[in-house]
Amino acid sequence: GACAHNYKERDIAVMYRNELVSQLKSLKHETIQDGVDNDNKSLQEALKMNKKDYLWIEFHMNASDNQKATGVESIALSDKRILAQNISACVNLKKRGDNGYIDQSLSARGRLAVVNNGGIIVELGFISNKDDLDYILKNVKDICSKIVKVITC
């Protein structure tokens, strides 16, 4: 994963995953997570855990050589475009792509296992942009709370 400003993408993703799971559990929602605390299972292990009738959300951070690159995007299949846009709207940064939605064909890798298994990859912002990073780090609870409202309505 990406690293910048003494932070690792992996650590931010785990922080967001743990907060989202905590908030969902506090509302009595059943969750499946790809690890607890600082543990983060491999993609292959996570794929085995996936249940088709569950919403799979995975957090990531973008990175760029351009330290001014900014914005949030959620990558999903077209049938989850509106949900992906609504999740991106929970992050108060510039919306990349189609109002925060990116079709996986436009992603850096083109085809993504999480997305192909019905998931949404939320690129919270750019770890290489200090302003994005600071915002993402300072607003974990608030962003996760907004995401919980979107996905539980």
Side-chain angles (χ1 to χ4, degrees):
C3 299
H5 307 290
N6 296 316
Y7 285 92
K8 295 178 184 174
E9 175 187 19
R10 177 206 176 283
D11 295 337
I12 296 167
V14 166
M15 180 187 326
Y16 269 79
R17 178 206 62 205
N18 291 347
E19 181 60 30
L20 187 68
V21 166
S22 174
Q23 289 189 27
L24 287 166
K25 283 185 174 182
S26 76
L27 296 171
K28 308 296 186 225
H29 290 282
E30 185 177 338
T31 65
I32 299 171
Q33 61 205 69
D34 64 348
V36 293
D37 299 325
N38 291 322
D39 179 40
N40 198 23
K41 304 281 186 220
S42 71
L43 176 59
Q44 293 308 316
E45 289 174 290
L47 286 167
K48 291 175 189 170
M49 298 168 64
N50 183 38
K51 291 186 178 180
K52 294 291 183 193
D53 57 339
Y54 279 54
L55 175 61
W56 184 349
I57 296 177
E58 185 162 301
F59 294 106
H60 286 268
M61 295 287 293
N62 274 321
S64 175
D65 290 336
N66 175 0
Q67 293 187 6
K68 298 214 182 280
T70 186
V72 57
E73 62 192 24
S74 293
I75 306 166
L77 295 176
S78 60
D79 66 327
K80 289 199 171 83
R81 180 179 58 87
I82 300 296
L83 181 57
Q85 289 172 326
N86 290 339
I87 289 171
S88 288
C90 297
V91 181
N92 192 24
L93 291 173
K94 175 186 168 197
K95 307 305 175 266
R96 296 171 49 84
D98 176 10
N99 198 28
Y101 165 75
I102 300 281
D103 184 273
Q104 72 171 339
S105 66
L106 301 175
S107 71
R109 291 185 175 85
R111 289 186 46 84
L112 303 161
V114 170
V115 172
N116 286 331
N117 281 274
I120 298 175
I121 296 175
V122 182
E123 298 279 1
L124 292 161
F126 280 78
I127 196 170
S128 49
N129 179 317
K130 187 76 168 99
D131 291 335
D132 276 18
L133 178 62
D134 288 345
Y135 169 78
I136 293 303
L137 292 172
K138 289 177 184 169
N139 291 284
V140 178
K141 287 184 184 296
D142 182 56
I143 291 169
C144 286
S145 175
K146 289 175 182 175
I147 292 172
V148 164
K149 288 177 185 162
V150 165
I151 65 176
T152 59
C153 290

